[in-house]
């Protein structure tokens, strides 16, 4: 009497290759990625070379005419300038405030959970809630919280926070900082908690004070986190749309209109999908350039620090 000692049947052919390379497991992701990212990306390039309207019909191939028109359109450059100006104004306070709040939350010894919750909670709010909060409660002239705060210090209220070109962009920046600083705060707090405690104890034994520990231990060890925060913040600021659309609608006199709102207006209220696609790809090129520059700088910083 003989007994079979053969193990479970091994997959063969295409099934074997897919299983060995893990393609079978990542197939759902590849399908979703292709359907919702790669295909729209390629389809958008084709649309930018045509004069299609919002229904996708009645257009014809126009080559690079949409791109040529976008380069000569002052509305594109003013909107692009507003986007870059907002990125410059918002990135610095968002990085610095996130770092300062994380340092405070990490070192405070009383009601620590309350500080962490209060600085991170606004980030959980939807953009619509934040926009309406600042539009109806914080920035209304004469009776808004901002004017009441100025009046308590004896200053003249009645500032057109969202209707005056001098203050509109700064008001949007202030709302954005209050809303999104919690994300940077969380990244910095996690990085602070990963610094070994014995490093500070050794520095204290050598006589280092609090300021010296901050400058020579904490900040250098947060350098990589700062690079990540800076990259994420710049990319997020370049994609601003929601809060501006709700709070100012791009005004006054288009002084706060970002490039994404210009693309929206060209495509969905101007019914020029082809031209809107061309403008969006010019903006996409700007984001790619900024990302490559930041990646290059972060790699150079990493090589110098190592």
């Amino acid at each position: 009497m003989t007994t079979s000692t053969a193990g479970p049947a091994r997959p063969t052919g295409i099934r074997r290759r897919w299983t060995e390379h893990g393609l079978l497991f990542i197939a759902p992701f590849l399908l979703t990625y292709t359907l919702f990212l790669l295909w729209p990306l390629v389809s958008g390039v084709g649309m930018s070379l045509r004069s299609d309207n919002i229904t996708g019909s009645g257009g014809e191939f126009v080559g690079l005419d949409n791109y040529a028109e976008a380069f000569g359109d002052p509305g594109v450059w003013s909107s692009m300038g507003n986007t870059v100006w907002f990125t410059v104004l918002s990135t610095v306070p968002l990085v610095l405030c996130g770092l300062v709040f994380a340092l405070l939350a990490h070192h405070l010894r009383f009601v620590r959970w309350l500080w962490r919750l209060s600085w991170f909670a606004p980030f959980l709010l939807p953009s619509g809630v934040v926009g309406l909060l600042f539009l109806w409660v914080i920035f209304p002239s004469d009776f808004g919280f901002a004017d009441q705060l100025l009046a308590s210090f004896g200053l003249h209220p009645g500032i057109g926070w969202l209707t005056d070109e001098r203050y509109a962009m700064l008001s949007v920046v202030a709302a954005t900082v209050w809303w999104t600083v919690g994300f940077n705060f969380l990244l910095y707090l996690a990085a602070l908690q990963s610094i070994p405690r014995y490093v500070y104890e050794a520095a204290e034994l050598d006589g280092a004070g609090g300021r010296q520990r901050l400058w020579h231990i904490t900040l250098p060890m947060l350098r990589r986190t700062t690079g990540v925060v800076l990259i994420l913040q710049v990319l997020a600021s370049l994609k601003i749309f929601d809060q501006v659309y709700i709070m100012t609608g791009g005004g006054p006199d288009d002084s706060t209109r970002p490039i994404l709102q210009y693309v929206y207006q060209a495509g969905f209220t101007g019914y020029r999908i082809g031209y809107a696609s061309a403008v969006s790809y010019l903006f996409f090129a700007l984001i790619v350039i900024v990302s490559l520059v930041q990646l290059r700088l972060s790699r150079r910083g990493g090589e110098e620090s190592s």
Side-chain angles (χ1 to χ4, degrees):
M1 180 177 181
T2 60
T3 57
S4 176
T5 58
R10 296 175 61 84
T12 59
I14 296 177
R15 183 184 173 189
R16 178 182 178 182
R17 290 197 296 272
W18 273 58
T19 304
E20 287 181 348
H21 295 86
L23 293 177
L24 191 61
F25 296 99
I26 63 174
F29 167 76
L30 287 178
L31 180 62
T32 305
Y33 186 80
T34 302
L35 187 62
F36 291 102
L37 187 62
L38 291 183
W39 170 245
L41 195 65
V42 175
S43 177
V45 174
M47 293 173 63
S48 69
L49 303 177
R50 297 178 55 82
S51 60
D52 291 344
N53 57 28
I54 194 171
T55 64
S57 62
E60 59 182 9
F61 181 78
V62 295
L64 299 177
D65 288 355
N66 285 331
Y67 290 93
E69 181 181 349
F71 274 111
D73 188 348
V76 171
W77 296 111
S78 65
S79 301
M80 196 82 77
N82 291 335
T83 305
V84 174
W85 182 231
F86 170 82
T87 302
V88 173
L89 290 178
S90 62
T91 298
V92 175
L94 278 169
V95 174
L96 290 179
C97 290
L99 175 61
V100 172
F101 290 167
L103 288 172
L104 290 174
H106 186 63
H107 289 91
L108 287 174
R109 299 300 178 189
F110 55 95
V111 289
R112 181 180 293 180
W113 66 270
L114 180 61
W115 301 110
R116 295 180 180 183
L117 177 64
S118 60
W119 287 326
F120 182 72
F123 184 70
L124 302 176
L125 297 175
S127 58
V129 173
V130 174
L132 293 179
L133 174 67
F134 279 84
L135 180 63
W136 290 346
V137 179
I138 307 297
F139 288 142
S141 297
D142 297 329
F143 64 91
F145 177 78
D147 274 3
Q148 296 300 322
L149 183 63
L150 289 180
S152 65
F153 289 100
L155 300 176
H156 178 68
I159 296 176
W161 298 101
L162 300 175
T163 55
D164 192 324
E165 292 185 17
R166 295 172 297 175
Y167 306 109
M169 182 63 81
L170 295 177
S171 301
V172 174
V173 170
T176 304
V177 170
W178 177 83
W179 176 32
T180 62
V181 72
F183 181 72
N184 296 341
F185 158 75
L186 197 64
L187 293 180
Y188 273 121
L189 185 62
L192 285 171
Q193 292 175 343
S194 67
I195 298 177
R197 192 171 186 80
Y198 64 82
V199 177
Y200 292 107
E201 295 173 350
E204 289 181 12
L205 292 176
D206 290 338
R211 183 177 302 177
Q212 292 173 316
R213 293 198 298 273
L214 173 65
W215 284 106
H216 298 293
I217 296 177
T218 304
L219 294 183
M221 298 193 76
L222 292 178
R223 183 175 301 171
R224 291 182 180 275
T225 303
T226 301
V228 172
V229 169
L230 192 60
I231 291 174
L232 295 178
Q233 191 54 63
V234 168
L235 295 179
S237 296
L238 285 174
K239 295 185 292 184
I240 180 179
F241 176 78
D242 306 29
Q243 57 268 45
V244 171
Y245 188 74
I246 295 172
M247 294 173 62
T248 67
D253 294 332
D254 298 333
S255 61
T256 61
R257 182 177 62 181
I259 187 64
L260 289 184
Q261 185 177 349
Y262 187 85
V263 171
Y264 168 77
Q265 291 175 341
F268 292 96
T269 61
Y271 307 119
R272 299 185 63 195
I273 291 295
Y275 180 65
S277 300
V279 176
S280 66
Y281 275 93
L282 291 179
F283 180 55
F284 176 70
L286 172 65
I287 291 180
V288 171
I289 292 173
V290 171
S291 302
L292 292 177
V293 171
Q294 288 187 328
L295 182 62
R296 178 63 179 171
L297 293 177
S298 61
R299 284 184 175 178
R300 181 179 298 178
E303 292 173 356
E304 291 176 354
S305 61
S306 61

